[in-house]
Amino acid sequence: MDYHRNYRPCPTFFVEEDYGMESRIRQERQAKQEHDKQMARERQYAMADELSNLTCEQLRDDVLSHMLEMDNQTLPDVESIDIQTEIQWFMRPYLLDFLIEAHTAFQLLPSTLFLAINLLDRYCSKRVVYKRHYQLVGCAALLIAAKYNDKKDRVPTIKELKSMCCSLYDDDMFTQMEWHVLQTLGWSIGHPTVDAFLQHAVLDDPYDPEVEHMALYILEIALFHRDFVAKLSSELARAALALSRCILNRPQPRHTHWSSQYDSTTLVALSQQLHQPSTVVARKYASPHYSRVSKVMEHFLQRQASLATYARCTPPVETPIDSKPYNGEIGLATPQKSQQLTAIPHGYLTPPITPDNEALVHAHAQMANHDLTRGMPTVHNGCSPSPAPSAEMQYMNSEAYQQQQEAMYMAQQAALQQFPLAPTHMGMSQTYQGGM
């Protein structure tokens, strides 16, 4: 009894249980708040996208006209680049390979690369560039394009660019060249790049990453060639998009669509430069991130080359005029014999075994008598020169045929009586033996 009276339960167990329930309730409340915040954020994003789409549809024509106007104003001058004293066009691929590798290393946007190349070409159109400063101008153009167009955390620093250039230039040289490029271009950097027009062209189409990656691959190949430096970005984007759809066997848009109004001359010029792309560009677009479009392009070109070779080696097949046409029956159509006679270089055609008519028999008899009167035996070498009988002529009956055979037999007997021949069991005639 004393034990039960003095016993007091320990409150520790109940306190720990209360603490566990409060912590669980607090976690559930926090999770609910995070879920509500996420849902509210997604609703805001959906509303923003809807408003953006509505605004884009209303202002799409105005935006496109402004882009086209800026595209004409920010084109480089190729003739001015031609008169550069030190830099030459064969140096351009080396600089572009360096800039593409730097652009890939910093994971910049595609538009940043095209904007940097535009700034580089526009600067070279207005200033004399020394050969030792060509790479420095390219780095300054890439730095300006990244600051203008890309994310802040991905903008390369001067130390990183200096390291990529193997410390060939000082830090101050990058800063001075950046300021000089901006001053030369009048601080006009807003050039509508080819990828901007490409996004505008595929705005109403279903998302197809392979087509877009193939178009970007073609456009980066075009950067290496002089013929496309002064081309409008809108023309290049539409031609590259149409060419990529042809390569990937995708349907072309309607004729009323803006992307269908491409220049066929530009498309053909782009297709002629696809056979020898830069190794850096081909390796870049062989990654899964770009749908391995460089491998797809390589297989397409190999298939086209094999088809062209087969077409040159295989002679054209001529169908006979009188042959029976194939009407879609199951199986192969039976080949028909040509009605025209082929020329035989050796020998003659097989003569008809049946004479044409009775007049032919008398003609043969007269020829035999003429030969006999000249004192020579009738020897038949080769075939009869008479043509083949036509289909309308009928064969002679058996009685006429028997009369013909008797007449020929009588002519041969008369000839043998006039010119007797010795037996030829020894291989020689008596006339020949007597002469010896």
Side-chain angles (χ1 to χ4, degrees):
M1 297 297 293
D2 294 339
Y3 172 76
H4 292 287
R5 187 169 46 251
N6 296 330
Y7 173 75
R8 294 180 180 179
C10 180
T12 307
F13 173 76
F14 300 99
V15 172
E16 290 180 354
E17 185 178 4
D18 294 341
Y19 178 75
M21 292 179 62
E22 291 179 359
S23 63
R24 188 163 53 252
I25 292 172
R26 187 181 303 108
Q27 291 177 358
E28 291 178 356
R29 188 183 299 113
Q30 291 178 355
K32 187 176 183 303
Q33 291 177 356
E34 291 293 334
H35 178 71
D36 294 340
K37 289 182 180 179
Q38 184 68 23
M39 293 298 296
R41 190 178 299 111
E42 290 181 359
R43 284 195 297 269
Q44 291 177 358
Y45 289 157
M47 292 175 61
D49 292 339
E50 184 178 359
L51 292 175
S52 178
N53 293 331
L54 291 175
T55 306
C56 181
E57 292 178 359
Q58 295 175 0
L59 303 177
R60 181 182 300 181
D61 296 336
D62 296 337
V63 171
L64 181 60
S65 61
H66 178 68
M67 291 173 61
L68 294 174
E69 183 180 357
M70 292 184 62
D71 192 13
N72 286 292
Q73 295 178 358
T74 56
L75 279 180
D77 188 7
V78 181
E79 296 180 356
S80 299
I81 302 177
D82 290 336
I83 62 176
Q84 287 282 346
T85 56
E86 291 195 8
I87 62 173
Q88 303 294 330
W89 286 107
F90 71 88
M91 303 177 185
R92 182 183 180 84
Y94 299 99
L95 179 60
L96 292 186
D97 285 340
F98 169 77
L99 293 178
I100 291 173
E101 288 183 343
H103 175 269
T104 306
F106 295 120
Q107 298 180 356
L108 301 176
L109 295 175
S111 57
T112 303
L113 175 65
F114 294 108
L115 179 59
I117 304 303
N118 177 262
L119 297 177
L120 170 66
D121 294 334
R122 288 165 60 192
Y123 180 82
C124 294
S125 302
K126 298 182 178 181
R127 296 288 183 179
V128 177
V129 181
Y130 294 106
K131 183 168 55 178
R132 61 181 181 272
H133 294 157
Y134 197 29
Q135 188 179 14
L136 180 62
V137 176
C139 291
L142 182 64
L143 184 59
I144 295 170
K147 289 181 178 180
Y148 179 82
N149 191 65
D150 223 301
K151 299 179 180 179
K152 292 183 179 181
D153 56 344
R154 295 185 180 181
V155 176
T157 61
I158 293 179
K159 291 183 179 180
E160 292 173 339
L161 292 175
K162 179 181 178 181
S163 177
M164 295 190 70
C165 294
C166 301
S167 301
L168 185 62
Y169 310 105
D170 297 333
D171 296 349
D172 296 338
M173 298 181 68
F174 287 95
T175 306
Q176 293 177 5
M177 184 56 70
E178 180 184 2
W179 175 83
H180 197 262
V181 170
L182 290 172
Q183 187 182 21
T184 302
L185 301 181
W187 298 82
S188 177
I189 310 172
H191 168 71
T193 56
V194 289
D195 65 301
F197 286 104
L198 184 64
Q199 293 299 324
H200 181 83
V202 300
L203 196 60
D204 296 331
D205 300 333
Y207 178 63
D208 193 348
E210 193 173 9
V211 172
E212 296 185 16
H213 293 160
M214 181 64 74
L216 289 175
Y217 179 47
I218 296 173
L219 291 172
E220 287 199 21
I221 294 176
L223 292 174
F224 288 78
H225 301 280
R226 176 188 177 277
D227 298 336
F228 307 106
V229 172
K231 282 283 185 180
L232 292 172
S233 300
S234 57
E235 293 183 4
L236 288 174
R238 286 180 290 186
L241 182 61
L243 183 58
S244 64
R245 285 171 174 167
C246 291
I247 294 173
L248 298 174
N249 197 16
R250 299 293 198 276
Q252 296 291 341
R254 297 186 302 271
H255 296 287
T256 57
H257 201 273
W258 179 79
S259 61
S260 64
Q261 303 171 4
Y262 59 87
D263 185 15
S264 58
T265 306
T266 306
L267 188 144
V268 173
L270 286 174
S271 64
Q272 293 175 352
Q273 305 297 338
L274 303 178
H275 300 279
Q276 295 180 349
S278 171
T279 307
V280 176
V281 180
R283 184 173 62 249
K284 172 184 175 181
Y285 282 90
S287 62
H289 180 70
Y290 289 102
S291 305
R292 293 188 173 93
V293 291
S294 61
K295 297 296 182 182
V296 177
M297 174 77 74
E298 183 179 356
H299 295 329
F300 173 79
L301 294 176
Q302 290 177 358
R303 185 167 63 253
Q304 293 295 320
S306 62
L307 291 176
T309 304
Y310 179 77
R312 288 196 301 267
C313 296
T314 305
V317 178
E318 296 183 359
T319 306
I321 299 177
D322 298 335
S323 62
K324 180 182 178 181
Y326 179 68
N327 297 325
E329 299 88 351
I330 299 177
L332 297 176
T334 304
Q336 302 295 322
K337 184 187 295 185
S338 178
Q339 300 296 332
Q340 298 179 357
L341 298 176
T342 56
I344 301 176
H346 301 288
Y348 299 91
L349 298 177
T350 304
I353 59 175
T354 304
D356 292 339
N357 47 26
E358 190 175 355
L360 183 62
V361 178
H362 296 292
H364 279 288
Q366 293 177 3
M367 290 176 62
N369 295 331
H370 181 68
D371 293 335
L372 291 175
T373 55
R374 293 177 57 186
M376 296 182 63
T378 303
V379 181
H380 296 280
N381 296 326
C383 65
S384 174
S386 59
S390 59
E392 293 80 3
M393 297 181 64
Q394 301 293 333
Y395 290 109
M396 293 187 300
N397 51 20
S398 57
E399 185 177 357
Y401 179 75
Q402 186 176 2
Q403 293 178 0
Q404 180 210 358
Q405 294 295 329
E406 292 179 357
M408 292 179 63
Y409 177 75
M410 295 297 295
Q412 291 178 359
Q413 292 295 329
L416 290 175
Q417 290 178 3
Q418 187 174 1
F419 298 98
L421 296 178
T424 57
H425 63 276
M426 298 296 294
M428 295 181 297
S429 63
Q430 293 181 356
T431 308
Y432 186 75
Q433 290 178 356
M436 292 180 66

